[in-house]
Structures are given as C-alpha cells and as structure tokens.
Amino acid sequence: EFGSNVRRLRGTSDFKRWVTNSSYLVMLEFYREGCGFCRLLVEPWEKAATDLKHLVHFTAINTEKEPKIASKAAQKYGIEIQGVPTIVAFTPKSTRPIPYNGERTAAAIKTW
C-alpha cells in the first residue's frame, strides 16, 4: 500500500478534486493489489511522489476496489487500460492524458 504522498482516489469527487481540477501535473496509476508488477511499482512510485511532492501530485486508483471510477475515467479520457499497472499524466486542465510507458523506476518517473 502507498505512503502519505500518494493520493488513493476512491470516487468521482476524489477524481475531480485531485485530477480534473488540479493546477498541478498529476501522475495517475491504475493498479490491482494482487498484481506483482503493481507491488514492484509501490516503492518507486512513493519515492517519486515524495521527491516531487511540491511539483506533481501522484494518485492511484485500485481497479478492483473502485471499478466504476476506473472505468469512467478510462472512458471519459480515452485511457487504454490493457493491463496494470497503467500510468498516465494529466497536465493542468487537460482533456487527454499522456500515457507513460517508461521504466518503472523512481529516477525514470521523475525525469519523464
């Protein structure tokens, strides 16, 4: 599970507050708790979130616990979730996120 610098989104109001209405760059991860690759990403994701906490908001949606918000976000913003973890970035007031396909390391995420 994530530390305090990653905001877990649990509903539409969270998504609007932390992603849609944000004046920050927002990194969003779609994940599942039972996913091995997702577990490997927890530490780098938290490290990047801690190091960039005043510049970038790091968020996450558990696709098993919050399937409605995950599905709604994917449909509304054209996010292709073909597997987890899926990572996208939202610039302030953007209508289309940018997919992140880089390495799953804190250094790579921070420099992207």
Side-chain angles (χ1 to χ4, degrees):
E1 196 63 25
F2 300 107
S4 62
N5 291 312
V6 175
R7 173 67 58 183
R8 284 167 293 288
L9 305 179
R10 294 189 170 100
T12 303
S13 61
D14 277 355
F15 193 89
K16 285 180 183 176
R17 179 178 179 192
W18 295 102
V19 179
T20 308
N21 296 332
S22 180
S23 59
Y24 288 83
L25 175 67
V26 177
M27 297 294 289
L28 172 61
E29 175 196 3
F30 294 88
Y31 73 99
R32 278 187 312 110
E33 286 180 10
C35 165
F37 291 114
C38 299
R39 281 194 297 261
L40 290 173
L41 184 59
V42 169
E43 188 176 319
W45 194 247
E46 181 63 35
K47 170 95 171 97
T50 299
D51 292 350
L52 298 174
K53 67 182 174 182
H54 298 293
L55 302 170
V56 180
H57 287 170
F58 281 74
T59 61
I61 297 175
N62 183 326
T63 60
E64 287 180 322
K65 290 186 177 179
E66 302 295 339
K68 287 182 183 178
I69 186 68
S71 176
K72 189 173 180 179
Q75 289 176 350
K76 182 174 182 175
Y77 294 101
I79 302 167
E80 293 185 32
I81 304 174
Q82 296 182 356
V84 290
T86 293
I87 300 171
V88 296
F90 283 84
T91 58
K93 309 300 180 202
S94 66
T95 58
R96 288 282 177 229
I98 304 162
Y100 175 80
N101 295 311
E103 291 181 40
R104 299 322 204 225
T105 64
I109 294 166
K110 290 184 330 184
T111 59
W112 183 66

